[in-house]
């Protein structure tokens, strides 16, 4: 049967896959390229059946070996997620095996959240590919978006056969992703949890952790952190470096599920061939158009990465600056030799004078809505905004820089250093950095939450908080403004009723925001 793969298979089988109507093994051949797609069952760890599809190059009859790429699906996505990209790769001579991660849709088992069984599944799929397709055992790659990215990185620590990875919109540190600043990222966790229950079968560990996380049951914090560390590639960094896979990391500046900081930190620790790319957008939006078959820079880079590291193509990707960034304000790509060279020029904004604010009230400054706000920033350059003059000073501390004579190209990770005194032992603060124009309208440059526990009321303590990494151009005539308040819909706050926070700048330890700028 000859059908257009991207249209007929992707459109017709999405409903069949979701409803359980797709057969265990089915083959289709595209009319234009001759690539074939088969829907198959693969026995994962413990014999759990994983629903998968195989896209093979034209003429792949077993007489010649082809590089193989394994694609675990994203969280809550069906097994046809990557068919368009799989077809593109197959047209270039790859065998591509994509499978539905365990616990989701028609695959068996329960959702393990990139646990040991998910890692073992990846190796089982590689075993199957080597036994049932003309895959070259010396040219194995893995890639994925979001959940598939996390599984791919973890698998590269445990399976030496994996020679190259493209981990897109993923995580290397799960705790720093959804619990940064020891603050629960409420909307991100709720979105993941809801999607998991809707499209899959969460396992008992996930149900327990999610319940504790969303209910702020800190009595089990140590167990939750251990659970997250077990599912973080940074925990297995030594194994990844020893295995030596070539690793490409891609993410969006505004990723509200897996913020970019943890990827940048992980990238700096990698010892083998590596590449880091950051673009505007939110979670998985930088790759999304490529999954629909539209031109997409992220997937183009991933293909080039595999072509060089699996096929030996001299396409020049190894000679380019390995860190590639695109500003949220527009313009082309900027190349850097490493992450520490991004924003090498640090400028401090002094935070003089004390500010006292009441907790538990949203001042109007916030980080937006998960997925929606940064998509608007990506396509329309309209980040979350706040009228800085109208922010109630009883609930928001505000400090402003001078007006800048020249464009300020913020690149990298802003850092807040301040001294806090609380009337209670626990609390949450959220810091925002705004680009403020002449009329006082502030456009959000970056933000981050911070939660503390066990502090002595009335005793000052230091806070060092990394805001989320970004690339943003502040126009000439504007100023940068730091706003601190205590409530943001993105996060769970821990402020007792009636609490007050005082921000001061002792002469022996002045408070400041360190802003990373691009050197011209």
């Amino acid at each position: 049967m000859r059908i257009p793969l991207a249209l007929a298979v992707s459109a017709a089988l999405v409903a069949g896959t979701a409803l359980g109507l797709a057969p265990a093994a089915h083959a289709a051949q595209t009319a234009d390229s001759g690539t074939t797609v088969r829907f198959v069952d693969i026995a994962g760890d413990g014999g759990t059946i994983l629903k998968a599809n195989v896209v093979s190059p034209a003429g792949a009859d077993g007489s010649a070996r082809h590089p193989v790429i394994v694609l675990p699906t994203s969280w809550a996505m069906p097994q046809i997620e990557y068919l368009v990209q799989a077809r593109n790769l197959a047209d270039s001579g790859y065998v591509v095996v994509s499978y539905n991660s365990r616990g989701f849709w028609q695959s068996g088992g329960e959702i393990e959240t990139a646990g040991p069984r998910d890692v073992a599944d990846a190796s089982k799929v590689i075993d199957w590919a080597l036994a049932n397709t003309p895959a070259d055992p010396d040219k194995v790659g893995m890639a994925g978006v979001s959940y598939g990215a996390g599984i791919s990185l973890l698998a590269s620590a445990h399976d030496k056969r994996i020679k190259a990875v493209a981990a897109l919109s993923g995580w290397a540190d799960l705790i720093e992703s959804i619990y940064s600043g020891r603050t629960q990222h409420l909307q991100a966790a709720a979105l993941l949890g809801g999607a998991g229950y809707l499209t899959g079968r969460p396992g008992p560990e996930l149900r327990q952790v999610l319940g504790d996380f969303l209910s702020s049951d800190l009595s089990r914090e140590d167990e939750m952190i251990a659970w997250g560390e077990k599912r973080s590639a940074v925990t297995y960094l030594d194994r990844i470096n020893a295995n030596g896979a070539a690793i490409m990391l891609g993410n969006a500046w505004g990723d509200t599920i897996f913020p970019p900081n943890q990827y940048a930190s992980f990238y700096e620790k990698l010892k083998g061939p590596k590449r880091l790319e950051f673009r505007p957008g939110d979670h998985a939006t930088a790759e999304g158009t490529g999954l629909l078959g539209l031109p997409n820079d992220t997937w183009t880079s991933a293909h080039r990465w595999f072509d060089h590291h699996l096929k030996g193509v001299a396409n020049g990707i190894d000679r380019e600056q390995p860190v590639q960034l695109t500003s949220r304000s527009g313009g082309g790509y900027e190349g850097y030799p490493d992450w520490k060279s991004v924003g090498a020029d640090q400028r401090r904004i002094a935070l003089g004078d004390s500010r006292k604010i009441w907790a538990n009230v949203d001042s109007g400054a916030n980080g937006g809505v998960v997925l929606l706000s940064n998509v608007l920033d990506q396509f329309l350059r309209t980040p979350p905004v706040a009228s800085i003059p109208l922010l109630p000073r009883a609930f928001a501390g505000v400090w402003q820089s001078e007006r800048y004579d020249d464009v300020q190209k913020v690149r990298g990770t802003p850092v807040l250093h301040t001294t806090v005194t609380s009337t209670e032992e626990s609390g949450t603060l959220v810091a925002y950095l705004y680009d403020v124009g002449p009329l006082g309208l502030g456009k959000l440059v970056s933000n981050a939450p911070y939660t503390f526990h066990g502090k002595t009321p009335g005793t000052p303590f230091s806070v060092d908080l990394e805001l989320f990494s970004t690339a943003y151009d502040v126009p000439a005539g504007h100023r940068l403004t730091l706003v601190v308040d205590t409530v943001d819909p993105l996060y769970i706050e821990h402020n007792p009723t009636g609490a007050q926070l005082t921000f001061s700048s002792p002469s022996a330890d002045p408070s400041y925001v360190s802003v990373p700028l691009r050197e011209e």
Side-chain angles (χ1 to χ4, degrees):
M1 177 174 62
R2 293 180 177 272
I3 56 177
L5 180 61
L7 294 177
V9 176
S10 295
L13 288 182
V14 63
T17 301
L19 297 173
L21 303 179
H26 176 78
Q29 184 178 37
T30 65
D32 49 351
S33 68
T35 57
T36 59
V37 58
R38 290 187 293 146
F39 289 84
V40 300
D41 291 346
I42 297 176
D45 184 54
T48 297
I49 295 300
L50 306 174
K51 294 295 182 177
N53 56 71
V54 183
V55 184
S56 301
D61 56 6
S63 59
R65 293 290 173 180
H66 298 263
V68 59
I69 296 177
V70 173
L71 301 168
T73 55
S74 304
W75 187 270
M77 292 296 288
Q79 62 162 305
I80 63 169
E81 175 186 10
Y82 300 113
L83 275 180
V84 171
Q85 288 301 321
R87 179 263 178 91
N88 292 341
L89 287 164
D91 285 344
S92 298
Y94 293 91
V95 171
V96 184
V97 183
S98 175
Y99 68 95
N100 231 137
S101 304
R102 71 166 50 228
F104 286 104
W105 295 91
Q106 291 176 287
S107 283
E110 296 177 317
I111 301 172
E112 302 283 338
T113 323
R117 290 182 177 177
D118 290 300
V119 176
D121 284 345
S123 291
K124 290 290 187 180
V125 173
I126 294 173
D127 292 342
W128 184 93
L130 297 179
N132 295 276
T133 74
D136 189 332
D138 296 322
K139 298 177 180 179
V140 177
M142 283 196 69
V145 175
S146 184
Y147 194 47
I151 291 174
S152 296
L153 284 177
L154 288 162
S156 73
H158 294 83
D159 196 322
K160 295 181 179 179
R161 295 174 296 181
I162 299 170
K163 305 302 181 186
V165 172
L168 312 176
S169 288
W171 77 92
D173 189 328
L174 193 56
I175 297 300
E176 282 302 307
S177 293
I178 61 174
Y179 196 43
S180 68
R182 288 301 182 262
T183 307
Q184 299 105 309
H185 293 212
L186 171 62
Q187 291 185 15
L191 178 65
L192 291 173
Y197 276 99
L198 181 64
T199 63
R201 299 166 298 283
E205 273 191 296
L206 174 57
R207 294 197 299 270
Q208 178 72 57
V209 167
L210 190 62
D212 293 343
F213 188 83
L214 294 177
S215 66
S216 297
D217 184 355
L218 298 180
S219 67
R220 294 177 56 86
E221 183 183 41
D222 289 345
E223 291 90 336
M224 181 184 70
I225 290 175
W227 178 87
E229 289 175 342
K230 192 174 184 179
R231 290 157 170 80
S232 298
V234 69
T235 302
Y236 311 98
L237 181 67
D238 289 346
R239 293 189 194 179
I240 293 174
N241 284 333
N243 290 345
I247 294 178
M248 172 187 159
L249 305 172
N251 205 356
W253 292 119
D255 194 321
T256 45
I257 296 180
F258 304 130
N261 302 46
Q262 45 92 31
Y263 247 14
S265 176
F266 178 70
Y267 170 84
E268 285 290 85
K269 298 181 180 73
L270 291 171
K271 302 299 183 184
K274 58 185 180 178
R275 184 176 177 91
L276 177 67
E277 298 184 355
F278 284 144
R279 299 177 176 85
D282 206 311
H283 184 65
T285 64
E287 302 84 24
T289 55
L291 296 177
L292 300 175
L294 300 174
N296 183 275
D297 287 355
T298 305
W299 283 105
T300 297
S301 289
H303 288 218
R304 293 179 65 221
W305 190 250
F306 287 128
D307 284 348
H308 180 74
H309 290 286
L310 294 183
K311 296 168 67 176
V313 176
N315 54 19
I317 198 168
D318 57 319
R319 298 189 300 275
E320 298 171 359
Q321 297 274 42
V323 176
Q324 294 286 323
L325 314 178
T326 304
S327 171
R328 291 165 47 203
S329 304
Y333 285 91
E334 301 170 0
Y336 299 83
D338 47 40
W339 176 250
K340 65 177 179 289
S341 298
V342 177
D345 182 12
Q346 297 281 331
R347 303 282 180 86
R348 289 186 177 183
I349 301 172
L351 307 181
D353 301 329
S354 294
R355 303 283 194 276
K356 180 182 290 187
I357 63 174
W358 291 90
N360 298 310
V361 176
D362 189 342
S363 70
N366 65 70
V369 178
V370 66
L371 291 182
L372 175 62
S373 296
N374 290 312
V375 170
L376 293 176
D377 185 36
Q378 176 183 359
F379 293 106
L380 301 177
R381 296 183 192 166
T382 55
V385 299
S387 176
I388 303 304
L390 296 181
L391 293 177
R393 277 11 183 208
F395 309 116
V398 180
W399 297 263
Q400 298 196 92
S401 73
E402 75 284 359
R403 294 189 189 277
Y404 296 113
D405 294 330
D406 304 308
V407 174
Q408 304 292 297
K409 295 187 175 183
V410 180
R411 300 289 187 275
T413 310
V415 177
L416 168 64
H417 172 76
T418 190
T419 297
V420 179
T421 305
S422 175
T423 59
E424 303 289 344
E425 67 168 3
S426 297
T428 297
L429 60 94
V430 185
Y432 309 89
L433 190 64
Y434 283 100
D435 157 28
V436 181
L439 299 180
L441 185 66
K443 295 182 178 181
L444 187 64
V445 176
S446 184
N447 77 101
Y450 180 90
T451 294
F452 58 88
H453 297 285
K455 300 298 183 182
T456 302
T459 300
F461 59 93
S462 295
V463 170
D464 289 285
L465 174 61
E466 286 192 350
L467 278 62
F468 299 137
S469 302
T470 192
Y472 183 96
D473 298 345
V474 180
H478 288 212
R479 67 177 80 213
L480 283 169
T481 297
L482 179 78
V483 176
V484 180
D485 71 2
T486 62
V487 176
D488 190 309
L490 285 173
Y491 313 113
I492 292 178
E493 51 91 6
H494 296 260
N495 296 299
T497 301
Q500 287 181 291
L501 301 180
T502 299
F503 300 88
S504 57
S505 183
S507 57
D509 186 20
S511 296
Y512 59 84
V513 176
S514 179
V515 180
L517 300 176
R518 174 178 169 84
E519 294 179 334
E520 294 298 339

